[in-house]
Amino acid sequence: MRNSCIRLRQLLRSKMTNSTLPTHFDGEIDLGIIGGTGLYKLDCLEQVAILPEVQTPWGKTSSPITISKVTGGRNPFHVAFLARHGLHHQYPPSKVPFRANIAALKHLRCKAVLSFSAVGSLQSYIKPRDFVLPQQIIDRTKGLRDHSYFNDEGLVGHVMFGDPFSRSFADYIHGFHHVLENPDSPLPCLLHHDRELTVVCMEGPQFSTRAESRMYRNLGAHVINMSVIPEAKLARECELPYQMVCMSTDYDAWKEHEEPVTVESVMSHLANNGRNANSLASNVVQSMARELPEFMKSGDGLKGSVKFSISTKPEAMSKETLQKLRFLFPDYW
Ligand SMILES: CSC[C@H]1O[C@H](OP(=O)(O)O)[C@H](O)[C@@H]1O
Ligand SMILES: Nc1ncnc2[nH]cnc12
């Protein structure tokens, strides 16, 4: 009786995800991938399960999580993919359930998170369709987003965030710069990589004014989006090495004699960016499957860091708080 109930539940769930794949996965996941605007699935990987929107102590993830298996190494390598804005792009940037998304990837025991984002370029040399591996962030969000797991009364924590991305992960991704293509243009697609590259995160959903766009250039920023905050902060609070691949779609609003960015201008580059994101992810993942990079084995210097950033004594935390934290760190408290 119990087994037939479970089978029925699984059948109903697979109907919800329109797939005959299992809706649970018991193995260990190696890499989490977050797709942004225009990247709602990865075509390059063999899917083995689809977890319907995962329930976490911080709500449900923005999309089902697709688990894929990559063979070729000594052990199978597993990837968990989720779509930041939902499969139908239903979550605006200020309402993406960022905490649930990162918590789910942490709970699945991902060893790192690779994130993709469509961005506006604030510099002439970063052309639409170029990719950028930023190493710094300027936060211009407006405090509307839940941006921490450690910002409740009775649970205070301060993680370091001076270097918000993983340098080792960026170096690793840059090793595959040659896979980017631009078949219908004489211009090559470049993968910009430098320790000063800075992404501004604005609240949106409206794009910037020309004055704001010029101000961000004066601040020394290179690209702009609406999603790296709080994603990068939450990944850090989960001790997850995190790197965003920014995919340029437009020149924002700073170019004096050009029209400011519109959704149409963004869309016109999404197909090419999506193809390049797929080949980049496929190459990165296959290489990781052959041999796990050192930063994923070691945790990139982040392992254990959170335990020592919490100021509140465990005796002062409520049972409910501790229970939530155990979803992220089953071994710490
Ligand atoms: C449709 S353009 C603005 C939108 O695109 C980017 O989304 P994502 O970072 O998820 O690729 C940007 O952050 C905005 O949310
Ligand atoms: N110009 C822009 N500003 C903010 N987010 C973006 N995503 C793509 N282009 C963008």
Side-chain angles (χ1 to χ4, degrees):
M1 177 64 181
R2 191 166 171 272
N3 280 350
S4 54
C5 278
I6 292 174
R7 267 200 301 278
L8 181 65
R9 223 178 298 143
Q10 285 182 354
L11 187 73
L12 285 172
R13 285 208 181 142
S14 48
K15 289 246 174 288
M16 277 157 56
T17 53
N18 255 340
S19 147
T20 51
L21 290 172
T23 53
H24 68 280
F25 180 77
D26 292 328
E28 196 163 317
I29 309 286
D30 297 282
L31 181 68
I33 300 186
I34 301 178
T37 298
L39 193 66
Y40 306 101
K41 63 186 178 60
L42 286 178
D43 305 317
C44 55
L45 305 174
E46 181 205 342
Q47 298 182 354
V48 294
I50 300 185
L51 319 181
E53 280 96 347
V54 176
Q55 187 67 50
T56 77
W58 298 274
K60 266 198 224 159
T61 53
S62 52
S63 79
I65 298 188
T66 308
I67 311 295
S68 304
K69 181 164 113 177
V70 187
T71 46
R74 241 178 292 145
N75 303 309
F77 182 92
H78 289 103
V79 177
F81 176 87
L82 67 79
R84 180 182 295 120
H85 300 280
L87 292 182
H88 309 288
H89 205 121
Q90 63 272 40
Y91 293 100
S94 313
K95 303 228 169 90
V96 169
F98 287 104
R99 290 197 299 184
N101 288 353
I102 296 292
L105 296 179
K106 174 70 179 177
H107 189 71
L108 289 168
R109 289 189 279 155
C110 290
K111 300 180 181 77
V113 174
L114 170 60
S115 156
F116 286 91
S117 168
V119 300
S121 167
L122 299 169
Q123 302 293 333
S124 302
Y125 73 91
I126 301 173
K127 310 179 302 300
R129 299 190 178 191
D130 279 1
F131 282 17
V132 176
L133 295 166
Q135 290 300 293
Q136 282 301 326
I137 303 176
I138 296 174
D139 181 2
R140 288 268 304 161
T141 61
K142 306 260 156 101
L144 305 176
R145 308 173 183 197
D146 287 322
H147 63 284
S148 175
Y149 300 106
F150 305 120
N151 199 29
D152 290 336
E153 199 178 317
L155 177 55
V156 182
H158 307 279
V159 298
M160 58 176 179
F161 201 52
D163 293 307
F165 296 103
S166 164
R167 187 69 206 261
S168 318
F169 200 174
D171 291 345
Y172 192 83
I173 298 165
H174 189 247
F176 302 94
H177 65 94
H178 54 274
V179 308
L180 302 188
E181 289 181 352
N182 203 3
D184 52 1
S185 159
L187 299 172
C189 278
L190 303 176
L191 177 56
H192 301 271
H193 178 36
D194 181 290
R195 61 198 301 255
E196 297 308 323
L197 288 170
T198 301
V199 52
V200 174
C201 187
M202 60 176 295
E203 186 64 53
Q206 301 85 352
F207 290 116
S208 308
T209 63
R210 289 190 187 275
E212 286 164 339
S213 195
R214 285 195 294 266
M215 175 182 75
Y216 299 140
R217 277 165 58 76
N218 289 338
L219 290 178
H222 299 84
V223 289
I224 180 163
N225 74 4
M226 304 177 192
S227 48
V228 69
I229 295 289
E231 206 172 82
K233 289 187 171 179
L234 296 167
R236 179 56 53 85
E237 286 190 342
C238 286
E239 297 181 359
L240 285 166
Y242 173 88
Q243 183 60 47
M244 178 170 268
V245 176
C246 292
M247 307 181 290
S248 163
T249 51
D250 58 87
Y251 278 118
D252 201 40
W254 58 272
K255 283 205 165 191
E256 218 141 275
H257 302 293
E258 285 188 18
E259 280 294 298
V261 53
T262 60
V263 166
E264 277 113 308
S265 58
V266 169
M267 295 307 199
S268 66
H269 299 293
L270 285 184
N272 201 68
N273 285 356
R275 273 193 302 275
N276 279 334
N278 264 281
S279 14
L280 194 60
S282 159
N283 277 272
V284 163
V285 157
Q286 278 167 28
S287 168
M288 286 177 170
R290 282 192 295 277
E291 189 182 351
L292 201 64
E294 202 43 51
F295 72 91
M296 285 171 79
K297 284 187 203 153
S298 67
D300 207 24
L302 298 173
K303 251 186 204 158
S305 58
V306 163
K307 195 158 188 195
F308 301 103
S309 345
I310 307 295
S311 310
T312 311
K313 294 209 163 75
E315 355 12 319
M317 294 180 192
S318 67
K319 272 206 184 112
E320 193 195 340
T321 300
L322 282 169
Q323 199 51 34
K324 274 171 140 184
L325 281 186
R326 284 190 195 113
F327 188 83
L328 305 175
F329 298 104
D331 305 330
Y332 279 9
W333 291 279

